[in-house]
Amino acid sequence: MGDLDIITIVIIAANVIISYKGYGDFSFFEKYKFQVGPIQRGEKIRMFSSGFLHVDTQHLLFNMLTLYFFSSVIINYLGQFNFIIIYFASLLFGSLLSLYFHKNEYYYSAVGASGAVTGILYSAILLQPDMSLMLFFIPIPIPAYIFGIGYLLYSIYGMKNKVGNIGHDAHFGGAIGGYAITLILSPWLFQTNLLMIGLLAIPIVLLFVLKKAGKM
């Protein structure tokens, strides 16, 4: 993990440049952030542009480090072109799920690459489920699939209880995008990793069961 491919460098550079432009230019930030009202009026570009803006350097750094660690897994298995497809599909799925959950909140807004990056994380776990992760606050390796499932369960909790100023639904939508597109691009996973496909589907199914039951 962590070999820096040219396409990863380009995406990180775009995030850094556009985010820093947004830090110092309020009107630029306002024009390109995710906001329900303007998107419903037709400003669909915000569904993508918001994924390159961040609220601060810590937010940007966390997302870019996660991207750095997991992008090489997908590029090694599926190539650069498919990595780009997964990245932007995850970004779009994150925006679509946010729009779905907040469609009646005209002023709801969000920024960040978290949806795209969570999609990359989920895709990498599907492709290489025996990966282990070392988290900053837990000094022992955690199986990647445990982290992925736990992260989405926490996202459901965060969406339900509006925890923090975090777009939990964008994270979740991104994970769904990364999961679905990876399976479309890699049907061989159904032969080799069927158990993992089932385990990673649990929080996704749970979210929609809760939504249908009116619990979200």
Side-chain angles (χ1 to χ4, degrees), residues 51-196:
F52 290 89
L53 291 165
H54 289 81
V55 289
D56 54 36
T57 303
Q58 184 181 355
H59 184 209
L60 172 65
L61 186 63
F62 181 79
N63 277 336
M64 295 304 100
L65 274 174
T66 307
L67 178 62
Y68 163 72
F69 282 121
F70 295 102
S71 59
S72 58
V73 175
I74 299 166
I75 292 167
N76 289 342
Y77 276 91
L78 302 178
Q80 290 182 345
F81 183 72
N82 287 332
F83 168 77
I84 295 168
I85 290 173
I86 292 168
Y87 186 89
F88 282 99
S90 299
L91 177 54
L92 178 60
F93 271 73
S95 291
L96 286 170
L97 199 69
S98 290
L99 201 57
Y100 174 65
F101 274 97
H102 299 281
K103 56 182 177 288
N104 299 320
E105 300 169 51
Y106 187 86
Y107 292 106
Y108 177 84
S109 62
V111 293
S114 303
V117 169
T118 309
I120 293 300
L121 170 67
Y122 233 60
S123 175
I125 294 169
L126 268 179
L127 291 165
Q128 199 172 308
D130 57 345
M131 277 191 304
S132 292
L133 307 181
M134 289 285 285
L135 302 180
F136 299 117
F137 46 88
I138 303 173
I140 53 170
I142 299 173
Y145 71 93
I146 298 284
F147 174 80
I149 293 165
Y151 185 74
L152 284 204
L153 291 175
Y154 171 73
S155 294
I156 291 176
Y157 171 79
M159 290 159 69
K160 194 169 164 51
N161 297 283
K162 296 183 167 52
V163 174
N165 188 25
I166 298 168
H168 295 286
D169 30 38
H171 296 180
F172 207 103
I176 294 171
Y179 178 84
I181 303 302
T182 302
L183 291 178
I184 290 166
L185 293 172
S186 317
W188 49 268
L189 288 170
F190 287 99
Q191 269 82 48
T192 59
N193 294 351
L194 191 59
L195 176 61
M196 194 56 54

